[in-house]
Amino acid sequence: MRGTVAVLRAAMRDATARRAAFWWQISVMVANDLIWVLFWMIFFTRVPSVRGWDSEKVLLLFAVLTTGSGLALGILANCRRIPVLVREGALDEVLTLPVSPLRHLLVSRVDTVNLGDTVFGVVLFLAVGRPTPLRAAVFVAGVLLSTALLASFLVLIGCAVFVTGDGESSGLGTHAILVLSSYPADIFQGATKMLLYTVVPAGFVASVPARLIDRPDLTDAAALVLITGIFAALAWTAFTLGLHRYASGSGWRRS
Amino acid sequence: MNAVAGGVRWFLVPAGMAARRMIADRSGLVVAVFFYLLVSVTLSSLWRAAAGHQGSVAGYSADSLTWYAFAAEAAICGIAVRLVDEIGEEIATGVVTAEMLRPASVVGVRLATVLGRSLTLLGVLLVPGTALAWTIAGPPPGLGPMVALVLPAFALAVTINVIMQHVAAAASFWLRDIRAAWFLYQKLVFVLGGMLLPLEVLPDSLRTVASCLPFMAMAYVPARLAAGHPAPELLVVQAGWLVVAVALAVAVFAAGQRRVEVTGG
């Protein structure tokens, strides 16, 4: 674990080395998020609420989403780059190290632009989330589970590259979970809604954690923990099995 | 006559090649169609849920909002997201200087290429988009006469958008780094262009600003027409913006190329 922390620290130092670029990228992402907040504020001037979601709840959802996705795509940036890494043979150098390959990969690259999301999400929660010790604790727990779930899902679909040889399914899956988790899951109905709580667990990435902050519920919390655990286990298994099929340009394999 | 035909060929050939490349890139098409349908279904679900609460939103029923969402997204998803960035990069790295050696307008050939690709992709997106919107919301309001307005509106929307992205990217002739330009441009189209929400939903002051800018011609106009609001005058507005956009593109590229000739690429 100490090694993982050291790798993460090195990745952070690398990402923040060019201070001006770092702060520029953070600012751009914050501006992007502000546009979405503007969208929701305009939307709710016309519509008081949508299926139980009013402006405050949606902004809470957005705070969870930006913080969680910022951590997953920023701190664990390689979670969505598995297809690229496999296609380029970039796993070779990781396989020579005496560490867990997946854990090392996940923390070895930081994308600064997404850290802007995290900063924005925390500030948004403090501004509109009516933080109390309990709500803040649920926010932190919800964000961490959301991060783990999103990263696990992206690793899982990225592992399709070991079989298909391309990253198409990964691109589609990434689009799907990020777009679908940006909106309250309750706006969808029927099969689509079912999909959001199972195959593409977008409902658990932001809607469920946001609901838990407002109204703590043991069943929702258990479901969130369970689905995160399932996807984490699936991601780990898929990556481990996938490594057996991995062949780089130099033909190295992990036995 | 032959000279004119030869000149036109300079633009038709790259447009045709770009269109064929677009069709040949099957995996790219799958991703584009998937993303378009995903975003359209999501946005239309949001607006349908919103309209369900009050029966309508800003004069749009749930069904017309569905057509609005699918049309607005089609007009935008047909164009590469970071087009401004890509063109700016090619100007900044000197790719454009090689193009200046050709006996044809640099911006003309570039526009022909991007339009060949974008209009082809638009055509591809409209097929599954129309089918899915029809399944969700029933036939488009005022089906027959509206088609005659909507299709030209789509073509004009994409054309104006592509040209204006070239205008924005031309800043690279003077500035070293325009990385944020695509991003700012995209957000302006999202909100002031009516891609995320009909302009009628905006507060009055913002709507006035939006109606004076070219972004509304890129998403709002085809979407408004597809949502069943017969307003042929919107095509005139688009035509006006097309003229402005072409004039701007020709002027800024001419000035930019002069600068390259004087200072070097």
Side-chain angles (χ1 to χ4, degrees), chain B residues 31-182:
Chain B
V31 172
V33 169
F34 174 84
F35 184 70
Y36 160 61
L37 293 179
L38 177 72
V39 177
S40 302
V41 166
T42 305
L43 260 186
S44 67
S45 298
L46 176 69
W47 284 113
R48 289 183 74 80
H53 190 79
Q54 294 180 327
S56 70
V57 178
Y60 291 86
S61 68
D63 289 344
S64 62
L65 280 166
T66 302
W67 282 101
Y68 186 99
F70 274 82
E73 289 298 333
I76 300 304
C77 290
I79 302 168
V81 177
R82 299 182 72 149
L83 183 60
V84 174
D85 207 17
E86 290 164 15
I87 304 164
E89 183 74 12
E90 287 174 1
I91 292 172
T93 55
V95 173
V96 80
T97 54
E99 296 171 4
M100 287 163 62
L101 299 172
R102 293 185 194 135
S105 157
V106 170
V107 68
V109 174
R110 281 187 161 268
L111 286 174
T113 306
V114 179
L115 282 173
R117 191 172 64 209
S118 302
L119 290 172
T120 305
L121 180 55
L122 171 69
V124 172
L125 296 180
L126 284 178
V127 176
T130 304
L132 190 53
W134 199 309
T135 308
I136 295 171
L143 179 58
M146 291 307 281
V147 171
L149 293 177
V150 172
L151 291 181
F154 269 122
L156 283 167
V158 169
T159 306
I160 294 166
N161 197 346
V162 165
I163 298 173
M164 288 306 290
Q165 296 211 31
H166 279 74
V167 172
S172 283
F173 282 116
W174 292 273
L175 304 173
R176 285 179 65 84
D177 186 354
I178 61 152
R179 270 180 303 178
W182 75 272

Side-chain angles (χ1 to χ4, degrees), chain A:
Chain A
M1 187 52 93
R2 204 186 306 158
T4 304
V5 173
V7 172
L8 180 58
R9 201 178 295 149
M12 278 297 287
R13 271 203 294 269
D14 183 44
T16 56
R18 293 172 60 216
R19 284 300 161 100
F22 172 74
W23 286 111
W24 172 246
Q25 290 187 317
I26 297 267
S27 310
V28 166
M29 194 49 92
V30 168
N32 176 58
D33 293 337
L34 279 171
I35 295 286
W36 283 103
V37 169
L38 175 69
F39 163 69
W40 283 117
M41 289 173 72
I42 294 171
F43 180 88
F44 281 112
T45 58
R46 291 284 181 170
V47 186
S49 73
V50 178
R51 301 209 174 119
W53 291 82
D54 57 18
S55 62
E56 192 180 302
K57 287 177 181 168
V58 168
L59 291 182
L60 197 54
L61 176 150
F62 198 57
V64 172
L65 175 71
T66 48
T67 313
S69 64
L71 289 173
L73 305 177
I75 303 285
L76 309 175
N78 273 338
C79 69
R80 65 167 161 180
R81 297 185 72 245
I82 301 285
V84 177
L85 296 171
V86 170
R87 278 204 311 271
E88 291 178 351
L91 298 191
D92 294 5
E93 61 194 63
V94 181
L95 297 178
T96 61
L97 301 173
V99 293
S100 156
L102 181 57
R103 200 167 67 195
H104 178 85
L105 269 181
L106 287 179
V107 297
S108 60
R109 179 189 168 108
V110 170
D111 268 353
T112 49
V113 69
N114 296 104
L115 295 182
D117 271 341
T118 303
V119 172
F120 183 85
V122 172
V123 172
L124 186 62
F125 173 71
L126 294 175
V128 302
R130 290 184 284 115
T132 61
L134 175 64
R135 285 169 70 89
V138 178
F139 174 75
V140 171
V143 161
L144 291 177
L145 286 165
S146 167
T147 304
L149 177 58
L150 185 56
S152 301
F153 178 79
L154 295 178
V155 169
L156 179 62
I157 54 168
C159 286
V161 72
F162 289 117
V163 181
T164 62
D166 64 43
E168 200 174 302
S169 56
S170 173
L172 298 179
T174 306
H175 285 323
I177 197 157
L178 290 178
V179 169
L180 294 171
S181 55
S182 305
Y183 298 84
D186 296 308
I187 67 167
F188 302 99
Q189 290 180 309
T192 313
K193 192 169 180 180
M194 176 70 84
L195 199 76
L196 296 190
Y197 287 106
T198 51
V199 183
V200 183
F204 286 103
V205 171
S207 291
V208 170
R211 210 161 54 207
L212 280 169
I213 295 168
D214 244 7
R215 183 173 45 83
D217 175 83
L218 210 56
T219 312
D220 273 356
L224 177 58
V225 171
L226 182 67
I227 202 94
T228 305
I230 289 173
F231 271 91
L234 286 173
W236 191 272
T237 307
F239 187 80
T240 307
L241 292 176
L243 283 182
H244 292 289
R245 298 175 62 95
Y246 173 66
S248 73
S250 55
W252 291 5
R253 284 167 188 273
R254 185 170 189 263
S255 59

